[in-house]
Amino acid sequence: MSLSHKRSSLPEENLMRRTSSFHSAVTLFELPTPKPTDDDAETECPPRRSKRLRTVVRPSSMDDAPANGGAAGMSLDMNEMRGAEARRSSRRHDMNDGGEVIASTSSRTLRSPGLSTSRKRQRDQDVLSPLKKPKATPQSSESAPSAPARWREAYDRIKGMRSRIVAPVDTMGAGAAQLGETVPKNQRFATLVSLMLSSQTKDEVTSAAVRKLREAVGGSLSAEAILAAEDKVISEAICKVGFWRRKTDYIKRTAKRLQYDYSGDIPKTVDELCSLPGVGPKMSILALHVGWKINAGVGVDVHVHRITNRLGWHTPPTKTPEATRLNLQAWLPEDLRPTFTGLLVGFGQTICLPVNPRCDACDLNDGLCPSGSGTTPRSVDDISATTNHGSPSGPLVVIELQS
């Protein structure tokens, strides 16, 4: 604003005059300092809000939470916890359980010997978050596919071949983990841990990791023992399995949930099991089969997914193990479901391999399998197969033909 405008807007007698210190002939005019008014206070800008996050002190357990909300620092804001749960759900990637893929970790995380602070905070929030009804797991495909032609004939032939073959899943699968425990509750927990470790990992490596983990936590696998062990101890015991850092976090958080919500045991429904960190439909169904003897569906892994598609049992072919599970549960008889997974997994480990399947030693290679090589199948009536568990490269299947 120019000086002329200031002088014209105020009476001259209200201006303050003083002689310039540089020349006595020069007179300087100054505006008087305005006094603050009520109107000025109303138009004053509000203080700027800090962008720093408010830290809320959380109780160490549900028992420490005050009944009436307590002090502001200890209050559990329900909306805040729901928002945290939603953010966790958006970041969470389940393990490869029936098609779920574990999210790969960054290079910085891979160099870190322990879990990040955010994961530890998330682990505590699993207990603090209010319990909600588990999301319902689909049980069959909406299209309700019918049973494929000649599926029972193919199933019986696979069963006949498997009766003469000992596969890794027979001696080192999820059912073997419970053999190291005497308490039924610990047997079920060990089975679940074995299933969580088995994702994207060979049975030989999983079995060794379960044994090492049992020794590292005191000789028995239980939710209490896992919670008492440090993250580093668990990680060192399972470091040979795939995604061991992520699985360390999942096992620790699952143990905490089981300890607080189920007295250290595993629940009896697929929906409740699927609500645990890192547990999907395949793991839940197999855990119920082995642990509780509950027939809850068909557990589908990569072997079952591959073999059933090679046999042409899905029209159109399914793209994920979860889609395969829904199709199979639409028509596979319930009495076959508890043993179906182990039957096909062993078949996929020994004969119907992912790469270079042994079609020349398969009873289905006479036209029953549309994906067969077309070569004349040799007699497998006297097949005997053994596995070399000490081989570092995996099981060695030896097929002997007797004339």
Side-chain angles (χ1 to χ4, degrees), residues 307-321:
I307 294 171
T308 56
N309 275 280
R310 281 181 176 176
L311 293 174
W313 287 0
H314 307 290
T315 304
T318 54
K319 297 182 178 180
T320 64

Side-chain angles (χ1 to χ4, degrees), residues 78-291:
M78 301 298 290
N79 293 328
E80 181 182 350
M81 288 192 294
R82 292 192 184 97
E85 178 63 24
R87 289 190 295 272
R88 290 201 306 274
S89 299
S90 64
R91 294 192 302 265
R92 186 177 302 156
H93 297 276
D94 287 344
M95 293 181 293
N96 184 10
D97 173 40
E100 296 84 354
V101 179
I102 304 176
S104 58
T105 53
S106 64
S107 58
R108 179 182 61 82
T109 305
L110 292 176
R111 293 192 297 267
S112 176
L115 297 175
S116 63
T117 304
S118 61
R119 289 189 183 176
K120 292 181 180 180
R121 186 182 300 113
Q122 183 180 20
R123 179 188 302 167
D124 295 335
Q125 284 286 59
D126 285 337
V127 178
L128 293 175
S129 299
L131 294 178
K132 60 181 181 180
K133 185 177 179 180
K135 183 179 179 180
T137 304
Q139 292 302 314
S140 62
S141 175
E142 296 180 356
S143 59
S146 58
R150 303 182 67 184
W151 75 268
R152 188 62 189 245
E153 183 179 354
Y155 173 87
D156 290 338
R157 291 193 188 183
I158 294 174
K159 187 175 181 180
M161 287 185 285
R162 285 285 282 113
S163 66
R164 300 183 293 271
I165 298 175
V166 179
V169 69
D170 299 329
T171 58
M172 295 174 287
Q178 63 179 346
L179 301 179
E181 305 293 336
T182 57
V183 179
K185 180 171 65 174
N186 295 348
Q187 291 176 347
R188 291 185 285 269
F189 180 77
T191 299
L192 181 61
V193 170
S194 177
L195 288 167
M196 297 175 71
L197 294 177
S198 67
S199 175
Q200 298 183 354
T201 305
K202 292 183 177 181
D203 286 336
E204 301 90 333
V205 179
T206 301
S207 180
V210 171
R211 291 196 302 269
K212 192 173 181 180
L213 179 60
R214 180 180 287 113
E215 296 173 358
V217 299
S220 180
L221 271 179
S222 64
E224 296 88 344
I226 291 295
L227 292 177
E230 296 182 358
D231 293 347
K232 183 179 180 181
V233 173
I234 299 175
S235 296
E236 290 178 351
I238 67 171
C239 63
K240 299 297 183 181
V241 305
F243 299 96
W244 56 272
R245 285 181 175 85
R246 179 60 60 88
K247 291 177 183 179
T248 297
D249 180 45
Y250 283 155
I251 291 173
K252 198 81 172 185
R253 289 164 54 196
T254 293
K256 179 168 287 190
R257 281 281 309 276
L258 295 179
Q259 181 69 10
Y260 279 84
D261 299 339
Y262 302 99
S263 301
D265 209 340
I266 69 172
K268 293 184 178 182
T269 67
V270 172
D271 294 343
E272 289 176 305
L273 281 167
C274 286
S275 69
L276 299 174
V279 179
K282 184 205 75 175
M283 296 182 189
S284 302
I285 292 171
L286 294 180
L288 293 177
H289 282 334
V290 178

